[in-house]
Amino acid sequence: MNKQEITAQVQTALNVVYETGRMEKGDQMVVGCSTSEIAGGRIGKASVPELGEWVAEAVLSFCSDKGIVPIFQCCEHLNRSLVMEREEAVRHGYTRVSAVPQPKAGGSVPAAAWKMLKNPALVMQVQAEGGIDIGDTLIGMHLKPVAVPVRSDDVDKVGYANLVMAYTRLPYVGGSRAVYE
């Protein structure tokens, strides 16, 4: 497992969600990640800051290329709060909270992203249009309703970590007479 492999797996996963969910410029992509799981360990037990840097770089590069907003979920020690650019947090009216993620209190990926973003902010909750969950970090609380699971023959793990992907769609309303796009 090297940087090139991890980067390719992360960017493939992001692209699967981006394409399948027909994401558009300005949409938000939430990423939850356990570097412990990527390395073959148990979630929350063996944080790997170097892997956090690799994942954060891969996410930021992909999102920049596609014009989507990267958001990084922290672990339960920071109540699954999220790291994102302050400008985006303000634009969406998200509630900001006070902490600076660390590898063992927030997670290696959010800690790395905090250092890489121009003007980072930590927010309590978001409602993203898509997301990837590397290592079963439970990102569902940060997706808009209705979440649609995504499966891919191209990628189902990042390193040793299980990969769960989802995009969201508009809820169907109206009943039997309704017509949908």
Side-chain angles (χ1 to χ4, degrees), residues 53-127:
E53 292 171 10
W54 298 354
V55 172
E57 285 175 5
V59 172
L60 290 170
S61 174
F62 180 88
C63 290
S64 176
D65 288 348
K66 300 295 186 184
I68 57 177
V69 178
I71 303 174
F72 301 87
Q73 178 186 270
C74 295
C75 70
E76 79 275 7
H77 295 100
L78 292 183
N79 296 325
R80 303 214 189 287
S81 55
L82 304 114
V83 173
M84 64 188 303
E85 286 288 0
R86 185 178 313 251
E87 178 181 315
E88 286 293 327
V90 169
R91 186 167 76 82
H92 288 280
Y94 293 143
T95 302
R96 291 181 28 217
V97 294
S98 183
V100 176
Q102 304 298 312
K104 294 192 180 284
S108 288
V109 175
W114 183 272
K115 293 176 182 175
M116 293 175 189
L117 293 172
K118 293 175 191 157
N119 192 8
L122 195 66
V123 300
M124 187 180 298
Q125 185 175 5
V126 301
Q127 292 286 285

Side-chain angles (χ1 to χ4, degrees), residues 148-171:
V148 180
V150 177
R151 300 280 186 256
S152 172
D153 293 332
D154 296 328
V155 62
D156 65 353
K157 292 195 177 300
V158 174
Y160 294 100
N162 185 46
L163 175 65
V164 177
M165 302 174 285
Y167 67 90
T168 63
R169 65 162 174 78
L170 296 174

